[in-house]
Amino acid sequence: MAEVGLQAPTDVVMVRPHLFRPNPLTIADNAFQSREPVAAPEVVAKAAYDEVSDLAQQLREAGVRVHLFDDFGDQLPDSVFPNNWFSTHPDGRIALYPMYSPNRRGERRTDIVEALRRMFKVSVINDYSVLEDDEVYLEGTGAMVLDHLHRTAYVARSYRAHDVAVGQVCRDLDYDTVLFTTRDARGVAIYHTNVMMSVGTDLALIGLDSIPLPAERRAVEDRLRSSGRTLVDLTSAQIDEFAGNAIEVQGAAHRYLVMSTRAHASLTDRQLAVIGEHCVPLAVDVPTIELAGGSVRCMIAGVHLPATDRSRPINGSPVSGSPVISGEDAVLTTP
């Protein structure tokens, strides 16, 4: 049996924005982002705030420890997606990533990193953000879907996953790399790998038809099957509904596969039955957040760090003496 929390984390980090809006700088290569007019800004912001709060609450009710941070600023439209700027690893590493859009780089927050260092065993922090100076990007566990059990990184080629950065990060973290090309239903490269695949403890959801080159498709499928995973193959239409943007977490009594209600509704009874053989589906409504081109998986940064006796949820008090890199007034608050 896999070690608890190694692939399905028991702890997660989430960021709750107070002034959420779809990011105008990411729409060019994010085909999942809404291009239609939306409601008034204050309506969108309130709805997004409520959706994050509800997701955090449902995770807590399932027994997942949620470390919830608030972003009060108005300069970081994608701050709700923390998994893109950092990842954590069972050997105690934290990696900080180079971000494609200039207005996403301020999402990197020292208060979140310092809070994790206080609560978990952190051995080293690998900061790759300097690669932005050379226009080399790798957007965390959006660009890479990580199999921590078998130390494999699945990476779809895109502007958000530069080969140089992938090579450096995977060498440092000692992960094998499985690189492949993708195309969505419109013939466009999928901007983040975690939109078209999710890898859990013994289950993987993946849109194999989104990998157009047969040799690469076989390589990805063979690697997943050889790792002992049961595969749920997603159609292009299901990927468009964010069915691939799911994350497995460890609750008090069960492993849960967390996804949006939109994603859940797109799955067939047979697919849901297969998922139910491995974990409990948990569907949460996040339609406002999905306007930005990401869904539930993007909202959750799993904590895979070794635990200490201080590994408890952050709850209520601001972090003192920890500046926010973006300069925004974003602190920890009571949910």
Side-chain angles (χ1 to χ4, degrees), residues 199-258:
V199 176
T201 302
D202 48 24
L203 178 76
L205 280 62
I206 181 168
L208 289 171
D209 284 347
S210 298
I211 306 174
L213 300 178
E216 291 185 346
R217 188 186 315 125
R218 284 193 300 272
V220 173
E221 182 175 4
D222 289 349
R223 179 64 72 97
L224 288 169
R225 291 193 186 280
S226 67
S227 71
R229 263 82 178 199
T230 298
L231 302 191
V232 174
D233 194 7
L234 303 174
T235 67
S236 294
Q238 290 173 326
I239 289 171
D240 279 351
E241 297 299 311
F242 292 107
N245 199 238
I247 181 172
E248 187 186 83
V249 296
Q250 178 67 55
H254 306 283
R255 292 201 305 267
Y256 293 86
L257 187 67
V258 193

Short mmCIF file of all heavy atoms in Angstrom, two decimals, residues 199-258:
data_model
loop_
_atom_site.label_atom_id
_atom_site.label_comp_id
_atom_site.label_asym_id
_atom_site.label_seq_id
_atom_site.Cartn_x
_atom_site.Cartn_y
_atom_site.Cartn_z
N VAL A 199 -3.23 12.23 -12.17
CA VAL A 199 -2.65 10.97 -11.71
C VAL A 199 -2.85 10.84 -10.21
O VAL A 199 -2.35 11.67 -9.44
CB VAL A 199 -1.16 10.88 -12.07
CG1 VAL A 199 -0.54 9.60 -11.49
CG2 VAL A 199 -0.97 10.90 -13.58
N GLY A 200 -3.58 9.81 -9.80
CA GLY A 200 -3.77 9.53 -8.39
C GLY A 200 -2.94 8.36 -7.94
O GLY A 200 -1.98 7.95 -8.61
N THR A 201 -3.30 7.78 -6.82
CA THR A 201 -2.52 6.69 -6.25
C THR A 201 -2.53 5.46 -7.13
O THR A 201 -1.49 4.88 -7.44
CB THR A 201 -3.07 6.34 -4.85
OG1 THR A 201 -3.01 7.52 -4.02
CG2 THR A 201 -2.24 5.23 -4.21
N ASP A 202 -3.71 5.04 -7.56
CA ASP A 202 -3.81 3.86 -8.45
C ASP A 202 -4.83 4.08 -9.56
O ASP A 202 -5.35 3.13 -10.13
CB ASP A 202 -4.14 2.59 -7.65
CG ASP A 202 -5.30 2.79 -6.67
OD1 ASP A 202 -6.13 3.70 -6.91
OD2 ASP A 202 -5.38 2.04 -5.69
N LEU A 203 -5.09 5.34 -9.88
CA LEU A 203 -6.04 5.71 -10.91
C LEU A 203 -5.50 6.92 -11.67
O LEU A 203 -4.86 7.80 -11.08
CB LEU A 203 -7.38 6.09 -10.26
CG LEU A 203 -8.50 6.56 -11.18
CD1 LEU A 203 -9.11 5.39 -11.93
CD2 LEU A 203 -9.58 7.29 -10.37
N ALA A 204 -5.73 6.95 -12.97
CA ALA A 204 -5.35 8.12 -13.77
C ALA A 204 -6.47 8.44 -14.74
O ALA A 204 -7.03 7.54 -15.37
CB ALA A 204 -4.05 7.86 -14.53
N LEU A 205 -6.79 9.71 -14.84
CA LEU A 205 -7.71 10.21 -15.86
C LEU A 205 -6.87 10.89 -16.93
O LEU A 205 -6.00 11.71 -16.62
CB LEU A 205 -8.68 11.24 -15.26
CG LEU A 205 -9.90 10.73 -14.49
CD1 LEU A 205 -9.49 9.94 -13.25
CD2 LEU A 205 -10.80 11.89 -14.09
N ILE A 206 -7.12 10.57 -18.20
CA ILE A 206 -6.29 11.14 -19.26
C ILE A 206 -7.04 11.13 -20.58
O ILE A 206 -7.76 10.18 -20.90
CB ILE A 206 -4.95 10.36 -19.41
CG1 ILE A 206 -4.10 11.00 -20.50
CG2 ILE A 206 -5.20 8.87 -19.64
CD1 ILE A 206 -2.67 10.51 -20.53
N GLY A 207 -6.85 12.20 -21.34
CA GLY A 207 -7.40 12.27 -22.68
C GLY A 207 -6.38 11.77 -23.68
O GLY A 207 -5.62 12.56 -24.26
N LEU A 208 -6.33 10.49 -23.89
CA LEU A 208 -5.32 9.92 -24.78
C LEU A 208 -5.45 10.44 -26.20
O LEU A 208 -4.46 10.63 -26.91
CB LEU A 208 -5.40 8.39 -24.76
CG LEU A 208 -4.92 7.72 -23.47
CD1 LEU A 208 -5.27 6.24 -23.47
CD2 LEU A 208 -3.43 7.92 -23.28
N ASP A 209 -6.68 10.69 -26.65
CA ASP A 209 -6.87 11.19 -28.01
C ASP A 209 -6.34 12.61 -28.18
O ASP A 209 -6.21 13.08 -29.32
CB ASP A 209 -8.35 11.15 -28.39
CG ASP A 209 -8.83 9.74 -28.71
OD1 ASP A 209 -7.96 8.86 -28.88
OD2 ASP A 209 -10.05 9.53 -28.79
N SER A 210 -6.02 13.27 -27.07
CA SER A 210 -5.44 14.62 -27.16
C SER A 210 -3.94 14.57 -27.46
O SER A 210 -3.32 15.62 -27.64
CB SER A 210 -5.66 15.37 -25.84
OG SER A 210 -7.03 15.55 -25.59
N ILE A 211 -3.37 13.36 -27.51
CA ILE A 211 -1.95 13.18 -27.85
C ILE A 211 -1.92 12.67 -29.28
O ILE A 211 -2.14 11.48 -29.53
CB ILE A 211 -1.27 12.20 -26.88
CG1 ILE A 211 -1.49 12.65 -25.43
CG2 ILE A 211 0.22 12.09 -27.19
CD1 ILE A 211 -0.97 11.66 -24.40
N PRO A 212 -1.66 13.53 -30.26
CA PRO A 212 -1.85 13.13 -31.67
C PRO A 212 -0.81 12.19 -32.22
O PRO A 212 -1.08 11.47 -33.18
CB PRO A 212 -1.82 14.48 -32.41
CG PRO A 212 -0.99 15.37 -31.54
CD PRO A 212 -1.28 14.95 -30.12
N LEU A 213 0.40 12.18 -31.66
CA LEU A 213 1.46 11.33 -32.20
C LEU A 213 1.36 9.94 -31.58
O LEU A 213 1.48 9.79 -30.35
CB LEU A 213 2.83 11.94 -31.91
CG LEU A 213 3.06 13.34 -32.51
CD1 LEU A 213 4.44 13.86 -32.12
CD2 LEU A 213 2.89 13.33 -34.02
N PRO A 214 1.15 8.91 -32.39
CA PRO A 214 0.92 7.56 -31.85
C PRO A 214 2.03 7.07 -30.92
O PRO A 214 1.75 6.45 -29.89
CB PRO A 214 0.81 6.70 -33.10
CG PRO A 214 0.34 7.63 -34.17
CD PRO A 214 0.99 8.95 -33.86
N ALA A 215 3.28 7.34 -31.26
CA ALA A 215 4.38 6.85 -30.43
C ALA A 215 4.34 7.51 -29.05
O ALA A 215 4.57 6.85 -28.02
CB ALA A 215 5.72 7.12 -31.11
N GLU A 216 4.07 8.81 -29.02
CA GLU A 216 3.99 9.50 -27.73
C GLU A 216 2.78 9.03 -26.94
O GLU A 216 2.85 8.87 -25.71
CB GLU A 216 3.94 11.01 -27.95
CG GLU A 216 5.23 11.59 -28.49
CD GLU A 216 5.21 13.10 -28.59
OE1 GLU A 216 4.11 13.70 -28.50
OE2 GLU A 216 6.29 13.69 -28.76
N ARG A 217 1.66 8.81 -27.64
CA ARG A 217 0.46 8.34 -26.95
C ARG A 217 0.72 6.98 -26.30
O ARG A 217 0.36 6.74 -25.14
CB ARG A 217 -0.70 8.24 -27.94
CG ARG A 217 -2.05 7.95 -27.28
CD ARG A 217 -3.14 7.72 -28.32
NE ARG A 217 -3.09 8.71 -29.39
CZ ARG A 217 -3.01 8.40 -30.67
NH1 ARG A 217 -2.96 7.13 -31.07
NH2 ARG A 217 -2.97 9.36 -31.59
N ARG A 218 1.37 6.09 -27.05
CA ARG A 218 1.68 4.76 -26.50
C ARG A 218 2.63 4.88 -25.32
O ARG A 218 2.49 4.15 -24.31
CB ARG A 218 2.28 3.87 -27.58
CG ARG A 218 1.27 3.33 -28.58
CD ARG A 218 1.88 2.20 -29.41
NE ARG A 218 3.06 2.66 -30.16
CZ ARG A 218 3.02 3.19 -31.37
NH1 ARG A 218 1.85 3.35 -31.99
NH2 ARG A 218 4.13 3.56 -31.99
N ALA A 219 3.62 5.78 -25.41
CA ALA A 219 4.60 5.93 -24.34
C ALA A 219 3.94 6.39 -23.04
O ALA A 219 4.24 5.89 -21.95
CB ALA A 219 5.69 6.90 -24.76
N VAL A 220 3.02 7.35 -23.15
CA VAL A 220 2.31 7.84 -21.97
C VAL A 220 1.43 6.75 -21.40
O VAL A 220 1.45 6.48 -20.18
CB VAL A 220 1.47 9.09 -22.32
CG1 VAL A 220 0.59 9.49 -21.14
CG2 VAL A 220 2.37 10.25 -22.73
N GLU A 221 0.66 6.08 -22.26
CA GLU A 221 -0.23 5.04 -21.78
C GLU A 221 0.55 3.89 -21.14
O GLU A 221 0.19 3.39 -20.06
CB GLU A 221 -1.10 4.51 -22.92
CG GLU A 221 -2.09 3.44 -22.48
CD GLU A 221 -3.02 3.00 -23.60
OE1 GLU A 221 -2.87 3.48 -24.75
OE2 GLU A 221 -3.92 2.18 -23.31
N ASP A 222 1.64 3.47 -21.78
CA ASP A 222 2.43 2.37 -21.24
C ASP A 222 3.04 2.74 -19.89
O ASP A 222 3.07 1.90 -18.98
CB ASP A 222 3.54 1.99 -22.23
CG ASP A 222 3.03 1.31 -23.48
OD1 ASP A 222 1.83 0.94 -23.50
OD2 ASP A 222 3.81 1.16 -24.44
N ARG A 223 3.52 3.98 -19.76
CA ARG A 223 4.12 4.38 -18.48
C ARG A 223 3.06 4.39 -17.38
O ARG A 223 3.34 3.93 -16.25
CB ARG A 223 4.77 5.76 -18.62
CG ARG A 223 5.41 6.28 -17.33
CD ARG A 223 6.58 5.41 -16.88
NE ARG A 223 7.73 5.57 -17.72
CZ ARG A 223 8.76 6.39 -17.46
NH1 ARG A 223 8.77 7.11 -16.35
NH2 ARG A 223 9.78 6.46 -18.27
N LEU A 224 1.89 4.88 -17.66
CA LEU A 224 0.83 4.89 -16.66
C LEU A 224 0.41 3.48 -16.28
O LEU A 224 0.26 3.15 -15.10
CB LEU A 224 -0.37 5.67 -17.17
CG LEU A 224 -0.20 7.19 -17.24
CD1 LEU A 224 -1.36 7.82 -18.01
CD2 LEU A 224 -0.11 7.80 -15.84
N ARG A 225 0.23 2.62 -17.28
CA ARG A 225 -0.21 1.25 -16.99
C ARG A 225 0.88 0.47 -16.24
O ARG A 225 0.59 -0.31 -15.33
CB ARG A 225 -0.60 0.53 -18.27
CG ARG A 225 -1.88 1.08 -18.91
CD ARG A 225 -2.41 0.15 -19.98
NE ARG A 225 -3.55 0.74 -20.69
CZ ARG A 225 -4.80 0.76 -20.24
NH1 ARG A 225 -5.07 0.22 -19.06
NH2 ARG A 225 -5.77 1.31 -20.95
N SER A 226 2.13 0.69 -16.61
CA SER A 226 3.22 -0.03 -15.94
C SER A 226 3.38 0.40 -14.48
O SER A 226 3.95 -0.33 -13.67
CB SER A 226 4.53 0.17 -16.69
OG SER A 226 4.97 1.52 -16.61
N SER A 227 2.86 1.60 -14.15
CA SER A 227 2.90 2.06 -12.77
C SER A 227 1.74 1.49 -11.95
O SER A 227 1.62 1.79 -10.75
CB SER A 227 2.86 3.59 -12.72
OG SER A 227 1.57 4.08 -13.07
N GLY A 228 0.90 0.67 -12.58
CA GLY A 228 -0.19 0.01 -11.87
C GLY A 228 -1.48 0.80 -11.84
O GLY A 228 -2.43 0.40 -11.15
N ARG A 229 -1.56 1.89 -12.62
CA ARG A 229 -2.79 2.69 -12.62
C ARG A 229 -3.88 2.09 -13.50
O ARG A 229 -3.59 1.56 -14.57
CB ARG A 229 -2.50 4.10 -13.11
CG ARG A 229 -2.28 5.14 -12.01
CD ARG A 229 -0.90 5.09 -11.51
NE ARG A 229 -0.65 6.09 -10.48
CZ ARG A 229 0.56 6.48 -10.16
NH1 ARG A 229 1.62 6.00 -10.78
NH2 ARG A 229 0.75 7.36 -9.19
N THR A 230 -5.10 2.22 -13.05
CA THR A 230 -6.26 2.01 -13.90
C THR A 230 -6.52 3.32 -14.63
O THR A 230 -6.51 4.39 -14.02
CB THR A 230 -7.48 1.63 -13.05
OG1 THR A 230 -7.22 0.39 -12.39
CG2 THR A 230 -8.72 1.50 -13.91
N LEU A 231 -6.77 3.24 -15.94
CA LEU A 231 -6.95 4.45 -16.73
C LEU A 231 -8.42 4.70 -17.03
O LEU A 231 -9.17 3.78 -17.37
CB LEU A 231 -6.19 4.36 -18.05
CG LEU A 231 -4.68 4.12 -17.99
CD1 LEU A 231 -4.06 4.34 -19.38
CD2 LEU A 231 -4.02 5.01 -16.97
N VAL A 232 -8.82 5.96 -16.88
CA VAL A 232 -10.12 6.44 -17.36
C VAL A 232 -9.82 7.36 -18.52
O VAL A 232 -9.25 8.44 -18.35
CB VAL A 232 -10.89 7.18 -16.25
CG1 VAL A 232 -12.17 7.80 -16.81
CG2 VAL A 232 -11.21 6.24 -15.09
N ASP A 233 -10.17 6.91 -19.72
CA ASP A 233 -9.87 7.68 -20.93
C ASP A 233 -10.95 8.73 -21.16
O ASP A 233 -12.15 8.42 -21.21
CB ASP A 233 -9.78 6.73 -22.14
CG ASP A 233 -9.15 7.39 -23.35
OD1 ASP A 233 -8.66 8.54 -23.23
OD2 ASP A 233 -9.15 6.76 -24.42
N LEU A 234 -10.53 9.97 -21.28
CA LEU A 234 -11.44 11.10 -21.44
C LEU A 234 -11.54 11.52 -22.89
O LEU A 234 -10.55 11.52 -23.62
CB LEU A 234 -10.97 12.29 -20.60
CG LEU A 234 -10.79 12.05 -19.10
CD1 LEU A 234 -10.18 13.29 -18.44
CD2 LEU A 234 -12.11 11.69 -18.43
N THR A 235 -12.72 11.91 -23.31
CA THR A 235 -12.90 12.45 -24.65
C THR A 235 -12.51 13.92 -24.67
O THR A 235 -12.38 14.57 -23.63
CB THR A 235 -14.37 12.32 -25.09
OG1 THR A 235 -15.18 13.18 -24.25
CG2 THR A 235 -14.86 10.89 -24.96
N SER A 236 -12.35 14.45 -25.88
CA SER A 236 -12.05 15.87 -26.01
C SER A 236 -13.15 16.73 -25.41
O SER A 236 -12.89 17.76 -24.78
CB SER A 236 -11.84 16.23 -27.48
OG SER A 236 -10.69 15.60 -28.00
N ALA A 237 -14.39 16.31 -25.60
CA ALA A 237 -15.51 17.06 -25.03
C ALA A 237 -15.45 17.07 -23.51
O ALA A 237 -15.74 18.09 -22.86
CB ALA A 237 -16.83 16.47 -25.51
N GLN A 238 -15.06 15.95 -22.91
CA GLN A 238 -14.94 15.90 -21.45
C GLN A 238 -13.79 16.76 -20.95
O GLN A 238 -13.89 17.41 -19.89
CB GLN A 238 -14.78 14.45 -21.00
CG GLN A 238 -16.04 13.62 -21.17
CD GLN A 238 -15.83 12.16 -20.88
OE1 GLN A 238 -14.75 11.59 -21.16
NE2 GLN A 238 -16.84 11.50 -20.33
N ILE A 239 -12.71 16.79 -21.69
CA ILE A 239 -11.60 17.67 -21.31
C ILE A 239 -12.04 19.12 -21.35
O ILE A 239 -11.69 19.93 -20.47
CB ILE A 239 -10.39 17.41 -22.22
CG1 ILE A 239 -9.78 16.05 -21.90
CG2 ILE A 239 -9.33 18.51 -22.05
CD1 ILE A 239 -8.73 15.61 -22.86
N ASP A 240 -12.83 19.49 -22.35
CA ASP A 240 -13.36 20.85 -22.43
C ASP A 240 -14.24 21.19 -21.23
O ASP A 240 -14.40 22.37 -20.89
CB ASP A 240 -14.17 21.04 -23.71
CG ASP A 240 -13.30 21.31 -24.93
OD1 ASP A 240 -12.07 21.53 -24.75
OD2 ASP A 240 -13.83 21.31 -26.05
N GLU A 241 -14.79 20.16 -20.59
CA GLU A 241 -15.61 20.36 -19.39
C GLU A 241 -14.78 20.25 -18.11
O GLU A 241 -15.33 20.16 -17.02
CB GLU A 241 -16.75 19.35 -19.37
CG GLU A 241 -17.73 19.49 -20.53
CD GLU A 241 -18.40 20.84 -20.56
OE1 GLU A 241 -18.91 21.28 -19.51
OE2 GLU A 241 -18.42 21.48 -21.64
N PHE A 242 -13.45 20.24 -18.24
CA PHE A 242 -12.50 20.19 -17.12
C PHE A 242 -12.49 18.84 -16.40
O PHE A 242 -12.08 18.77 -15.23
CB PHE A 242 -12.76 21.32 -16.11
CG PHE A 242 -12.46 22.69 -16.65
CD1 PHE A 242 -13.49 23.55 -16.97
CD2 PHE A 242 -11.16 23.11 -16.84
CE1 PHE A 242 -13.23 24.83 -17.46
CE2 PHE A 242 -10.88 24.38 -17.33
CZ PHE A 242 -11.91 25.24 -17.65
N ALA A 243 -12.89 17.75 -17.07
CA ALA A 243 -12.87 16.45 -16.42
C ALA A 243 -11.45 15.99 -16.09
O ALA A 243 -11.25 15.19 -15.17
CB ALA A 243 -13.56 15.41 -17.30
N GLY A 244 -10.46 16.47 -16.84
CA GLY A 244 -9.08 16.11 -16.54
C GLY A 244 -8.48 16.91 -15.41
O GLY A 244 -7.43 16.55 -14.86
N ASN A 245 -9.12 18.01 -15.02
CA ASN A 245 -8.58 18.92 -14.02
C ASN A 245 -9.08 18.53 -12.63
O ASN A 245 -9.80 19.27 -11.96
CB ASN A 245 -8.96 20.36 -14.36
CG ASN A 245 -8.08 21.38 -13.68
OD1 ASN A 245 -8.55 22.23 -12.95
ND2 ASN A 245 -6.77 21.29 -13.90
N ALA A 246 -8.70 17.33 -12.22
CA ALA A 246 -9.13 16.76 -10.95
C ALA A 246 -7.89 16.45 -10.12
O ALA A 246 -6.78 16.31 -10.65
CB ALA A 246 -9.95 15.50 -11.17
N ILE A 247 -8.07 16.32 -8.80
CA ILE A 247 -6.95 15.98 -7.92
C ILE A 247 -7.43 15.00 -6.85
O ILE A 247 -8.52 15.15 -6.30
CB ILE A 247 -6.35 17.25 -7.26
CG1 ILE A 247 -5.17 16.87 -6.36
CG2 ILE A 247 -7.41 18.06 -6.52
CD1 ILE A 247 -4.39 18.07 -5.82
N GLU A 248 -6.62 14.01 -6.61
CA GLU A 248 -6.90 13.06 -5.54
C GLU A 248 -6.31 13.57 -4.24
O GLU A 248 -5.14 13.99 -4.19
CB GLU A 248 -6.30 11.69 -5.89
CG GLU A 248 -6.69 10.59 -4.92
CD GLU A 248 -5.95 9.29 -5.22
OE1 GLU A 248 -4.80 9.14 -4.78
OE2 GLU A 248 -6.54 8.45 -5.93
N VAL A 249 -7.11 13.55 -3.18
CA VAL A 249 -6.66 13.96 -1.85
C VAL A 249 -7.03 12.87 -0.86
O VAL A 249 -7.93 12.07 -1.09
CB VAL A 249 -7.27 15.31 -1.43
CG1 VAL A 249 -6.81 16.44 -2.34
CG2 VAL A 249 -8.80 15.25 -1.39
N GLN A 250 -6.33 12.87 0.28
CA GLN A 250 -6.58 11.89 1.33
C GLN A 250 -7.40 12.54 2.43
O GLN A 250 -6.95 13.49 3.07
CB GLN A 250 -5.28 11.36 1.89
CG GLN A 250 -5.44 10.37 3.03
CD GLN A 250 -6.08 9.06 2.57
OE1 GLN A 250 -5.60 8.42 1.65
NE2 GLN A 250 -7.18 8.68 3.21
N GLY A 251 -8.61 12.05 2.64
CA GLY A 251 -9.45 12.55 3.72
C GLY A 251 -9.32 11.69 4.96
O GLY A 251 -8.45 10.83 5.08
N ALA A 252 -10.23 11.91 5.91
CA ALA A 252 -10.17 11.20 7.18
C ALA A 252 -10.44 9.71 7.02
O ALA A 252 -9.82 8.87 7.68
CB ALA A 252 -11.17 11.81 8.15
N ALA A 253 -11.37 9.36 6.11
CA ALA A 253 -11.74 7.96 5.96
C ALA A 253 -11.54 7.43 4.55
O ALA A 253 -11.52 6.21 4.36
CB ALA A 253 -13.21 7.77 6.36
N HIS A 254 -11.40 8.32 3.56
CA HIS A 254 -11.34 7.89 2.17
C HIS A 254 -10.35 8.76 1.40
O HIS A 254 -10.01 9.86 1.81
CB HIS A 254 -12.72 8.03 1.48
CG HIS A 254 -13.84 7.35 2.18
ND1 HIS A 254 -14.04 5.99 2.11
CD2 HIS A 254 -14.83 7.85 2.95
CE1 HIS A 254 -15.11 5.67 2.83
NE2 HIS A 254 -15.61 6.78 3.34
N ARG A 255 -9.93 8.22 0.25
CA ARG A 255 -9.33 9.09 -0.76
C ARG A 255 -10.46 9.66 -1.61
O ARG A 255 -11.40 8.96 -1.94
CB ARG A 255 -8.34 8.32 -1.65
CG ARG A 255 -7.08 7.87 -0.93
CD ARG A 255 -5.96 7.59 -1.94
NE ARG A 255 -6.35 6.64 -2.96
CZ ARG A 255 -6.15 5.32 -2.89
NH1 ARG A 255 -5.56 4.79 -1.85
NH2 ARG A 255 -6.53 4.53 -3.89
N TYR A 256 -10.35 10.92 -1.95
CA TYR A 256 -11.37 11.61 -2.74
C TYR A 256 -10.75 12.10 -4.04
O TYR A 256 -9.61 12.58 -4.05
CB TYR A 256 -11.93 12.82 -1.98
CG TYR A 256 -12.73 12.46 -0.75
CD1 TYR A 256 -12.09 12.27 0.48
CD2 TYR A 256 -14.11 12.30 -0.81
CE1 TYR A 256 -12.81 11.94 1.61
CE2 TYR A 256 -14.84 11.96 0.32
CZ TYR A 256 -14.19 11.79 1.52
OH TYR A 256 -14.90 11.45 2.65
N LEU A 257 -11.50 11.99 -5.12
CA LEU A 257 -11.13 12.62 -6.38
C LEU A 257 -11.97 13.88 -6.50
O LEU A 257 -13.18 13.81 -6.73
CB LEU A 257 -11.36 11.69 -7.57
CG LEU A 257 -10.83 12.23 -8.90
CD1 LEU A 257 -9.30 12.31 -8.89
CD2 LEU A 257 -11.31 11.37 -10.07
N VAL A 258 -11.32 15.02 -6.35
CA VAL A 258 -12.03 16.30 -6.28
C VAL A 258 -12.04 16.93 -7.67
O VAL A 258 -11.00 17.03 -8.33
CB VAL A 258 -11.36 17.26 -5.27
CG1 VAL A 258 -12.28 18.44 -4.98
CG2 VAL A 258 -11.02 16.53 -3.98
#
